[in-house]
Amino acid sequence: MTSSIIEHLRSRGRLDRMFVDGEWLMPQTQARHSVVDPSTEEPVAEIALGSAAEVAAAVAAARRAFATWSVSSIQSRTLLLDRVHSLILERAEMFAQAISLEMGAAINMARSTQVPSAAEHIRVARDNARSYAFVTHRGDITLMREAIGVCGLITPWNWPLYQITAKVGPALAAGCTVVLKPSELSPLSALLFAEVVHDAGIPPGVFNLVNGNGPEVGAALAEHPDVDMISITGSTRAGVLVAQAAAPTVKRVAQELGGKSPNLILPDADLLCAVPAGVAAAFRNVGQSCSAPTRMIVPRARLQEVERIALEAASSIVVGDPRSQQTTHGPVANRAQFNRVQEMIGIGIAEGARLICGGLGRPQALSRGFYCRPTIFTAVHPRMQIAQEEIFGPVLALIPYDSVDEAVEIANGTVYGLGAHVQGKDLGAARAVAARIRSGQVHINYPPWNPQAPFGGYKRSGNGREYGIEGLEEYLETKAILGGVQDASSSGNAQEQS
Ligand code: NAD
C-alpha cells in the first residue's frame, strides 16, 4: 500500500503539480523536495516545490472565486463540506498510509486517530455553519458576520491532515477562499486532500494548494497584499516571521504555535490512573503534539511512587516499524527532529536531571530510522532548559512541588500557554486550579477529545482559536449596519441565518 500511495500520486502527475484554480498546474521552477521515509531514512518520492509565482496565481484565483463563494448559500457550502467529509472517510486507508509514510506515525495510530480526528474538523465546521447566526440584531443595529476574504493557510507536519482540516473546514464554511501551503515535509496527505476537495466538486479557485518551503512560499503568502488573513500552525519562530511579513498589509494573523503543557497532579489524585494516562498523553504521536503534556508536576512526597508507575507505563511502549501492527510508536518525523530530541536529552543529562528511562540514541535493535527512546527525567527543576523549551519528541519531565500554589506557579512558569491538565479526585479543587492556569485549554482527569472545544494559545503559544464556533468565527469579519431599520423598536435581539 505504501508504494501504491506514491504510485497513485505519481501516475496522476500529482507529485509534479500544484492545485490552482481548479487545475493541476506544473510550477514554473524546477525546484524539488525529497520526501524521506523516517523509518528508513530513504527518499521515497520527490515533489515539485512552488514559488512566489504559484502563490500569485493561486491568490489571484482565490480572489476571483471569493466574489461568488462568499455570497453562496450556507446549504451549498455545507453540502460541499459534507462531500469532503465522506470522501476523507472513504479514502481513510490511503490517508493513513500516506501519513504513516511521510511522518512516521504508527499505522494503527494513523488509522485510529490521525485520520478520524481530521475528518471531525470538517464535520464540525459543516454543523456549526448550519446553525450559526450570520446576521443578528442588537437594538437597531444589524450585525453581519461575513467572510474575511482570501486566506493563506500554513500547516505543519506533525498532524498533517488534521491541521489542514482544522483550517480549511471553517474557512470554507465561513465563505472564505483559501491558498493552502502544507509542510514541505508532509506533502503526500495534503495532495490526497486536494484530490478529495477537487472530487467533491469545489468551484475553481475556492481551494488552492501550493507546495513549497516556508521562507519562499510561506513568506510569499504571508506578505501578499491580496491575502486578507494568514493562519499558521507551526513553531513560535515561524509564527513570528509570518506576523512580521504580514504586518505591512495589516492582514489578520492567526497563530497556533508551540507549547510546553503542564500536567498538574494534585495531592489527592489517583496515581494509578493519572500517571499512566499522563505518560501516554505526553508520548502520543511520539511527543510531536503542540499540546503534549510534557511537564508532569508532582507532589514531592509522592515523587517516588510516580516514578515507579511512570516507568512501568513507559515500558509498555513498543517503538518500531510504523507499518507493524504491534508498533505503538514509530520514529520521529525527520532528521532535524531526531537531532533536536537527542540534543535536548543531552542537555537534560548535563543539567543534572535524573533519567528513569530512555536516554540518548536509538532503542536497541533499531540501527537506522529516526527512532528515539521514550525518555523520562525526574527531579527536574522548573528552570531547567528541558522544563522550559518545547522538545517535540518523547521526553517527559517530572517536576516535584511542595504546595499547590507552587505547582500553579510552575505550571504557568513558561513562555507558553496552549494546553494544560489537572488531575485530582476533588473536582471543585481541580476546577479552582484549572481557573488559575494561563492556557487556552485545561483538561481535568483526561476527558475525551472534543472538537467543539476552542483550541489555541495564551502568551507565545499563539493568537486566535481553532475548532468549534470560535474556529469558524476566526474567518469572519463583523459589520455593523446602523439605520435603515423601519421599526427599530420591534427588532429586539432576533437572529437570522443567511
Ligand atoms: P515550522 O514552524 O518549522 O513549520 C510550520 C509551517 O510553517 C511549515 O509549513 C513551514 O514551511 C512554514 N514556515 C516555516 N518558516 C516560515 C516562514 N518564514 N514564513 C512562512 N512560513 C514558514 O514547524 P514544524 O516543524 O512543521 O512543526 C512543529 C511546530 O509546530 C512545533 O513548534 C509545534 O508546537 C507547532 N505546532 C503547533 C500547533 C498548535 O496548534 N498550536 C499544532 C501543531 C504543531
Side-chain angles (χ1 to χ4, degrees), residues 49 52 55 97 118-119 147 205 235 264 273 290 336 346 356-357 360 398 424 465 471 485:
L49 293 183
V55 168
Q97 295 286 346
S235 59
L264 204 165
C273 295
C290 46
I356 61 172
C357 63
L360 290 165
L398 307 183
R465 292 292 178 270
V485 177

Side-chain angles (χ1 to χ4, degrees), residues 69 71-87 119 121-132 134 168-176 200-203 206 472 497-498:
W69 184 251
V71 294
S72 61
S73 68
I74 295 297
Q75 288 81 350
S76 62
R77 286 184 233 154
T78 54
L79 193 65
L80 188 277
L81 289 172
D82 204 39
R83 288 197 293 266
V84 170
H85 180 247
S86 302
L87 284 172
H121 287 312
I122 301 288
R123 182 192 63 76
V124 164
R126 178 199 67 190
D127 292 352
N128 286 343
R130 273 184 188 149
S131 57
Y132 191 74
F134 287 90
V168 173
L172 296 184
C176 294
I202 197 134
V206 173
L472 177 67
Q497 281 185 49
S498 67

Side-chain angles (χ1 to χ4, degrees), residues 224-355:
H224 199 293
D226 219 14
V227 171
D228 301 288
M229 167 173 167
I230 190 98
S231 174
I232 175 167
T233 297
S235 59
T236 298
R237 177 198 63 79
V240 169
L241 290 170
V242 162
Q244 285 170 338
T249 46
V250 199
K251 52 176 64 77
R252 183 180 295 174
V253 179
Q255 298 156 308
E256 298 289 341
L257 308 176
K260 189 76 183 174
S261 298
N263 188 355
L264 204 165
I265 313 281
L266 287 168
D268 71 339
D270 176 353
L271 295 186
L272 285 175
C273 295
V275 175
V279 170
F283 291 164
R284 189 157 165 256
N285 205 30
V286 201
Q288 302 165 114
S289 297
C290 46
S291 58
T294 51
R295 294 184 297 143
M296 193 179 283
I297 304 172
V298 179
R300 195 179 300 277
R302 305 188 72 184
L303 183 61
Q304 280 188 352
E305 216 182 327
V306 169
E307 287 171 359
R308 186 182 50 71
I309 300 169
L311 175 61
E312 203 178 306
S315 317
S316 67
I317 292 174
V318 181
V319 180
D321 185 347
R323 293 160 196 83
S324 160
Q325 301 289 337
Q326 277 70 49
T327 295
T328 58
H329 291 64
V332 294
N334 50 66
R335 185 177 300 282
Q337 211 47 47
F338 179 79
N339 292 342
R340 165 82 180 156
V341 171
Q342 298 303 316
E343 182 197 359
M344 289 305 292
I345 293 173
I347 286 172
I349 294 168
E351 285 180 310
R354 187 159 52 81
L355 272 174

Side-chain angles (χ1 to χ4, degrees), residues 397-442:
L398 307 183
I399 307 175
Y401 69 83
D402 293 306
S403 70
V404 171
D405 282 347
E406 185 197 359
V408 171
E409 199 177 308
I410 295 169
N412 287 332
T414 74
V415 297
Y416 297 113
L418 190 57
H421 290 253
V422 178
Q423 319 302 333
K425 287 198 190 103
D426 177 343
L427 296 184
R431 291 184 81 87
V433 166
R436 296 171 65 191
I437 293 181
R438 303 276 303 160
S439 70
Q441 283 197 347
V442 186

Side-chain angles (χ1 to χ4, degrees), residues 97-121:
Q97 295 286 346
I99 292 168
S100 180
L101 179 62
E102 69 194 355
M103 57 71 68
I107 189 63
N108 281 341
M109 188 271 181
R111 284 177 183 141
S112 65
T113 311
Q114 289 261 10
V115 179
S117 57
E120 276 294 276
H121 287 312

Side-chain angles (χ1 to χ4, degrees), residues 154-159 162-163 167 181-185 212-220 222 232-239 241-242 245 255-259 288-291 334 337 390 392 416 418 455-457 461 466-467:
I154 301 177
T155 56
W157 45 259
N158 61 334
W159 289 81
Y162 174 102
Q163 302 295 354
K167 294 188 194 304
K181 191 214 84 65
S183 171
E184 61 278 28
L185 302 173
N213 63 32
E216 196 171 349
V217 170
I232 175 167
T233 297
S235 59
T236 298
R237 177 198 63 79
L241 290 170
V242 162
Q255 298 156 308
E256 298 289 341
L257 308 176
Q288 302 165 114
S289 297
C290 46
S291 58
N334 50 66
Q337 211 47 47
E390 182 176 53
F392 228 53
Y416 297 113
L418 190 57
F455 179 82
S461 288
E466 294 194 314
Y467 318 169

Side-chain angles (χ1 to χ4, degrees), residues 344-354 377 379-381 383-389:
M344 289 305 292
I345 293 173
I347 286 172
I349 294 168
E351 285 180 310
R354 187 159 52 81
F377 283 107
V380 175
H381 188 278
R383 300 310 308 169
M384 284 179 183
Q385 221 173 316
I386 54 164
Q388 287 290 317
E389 287 182 23

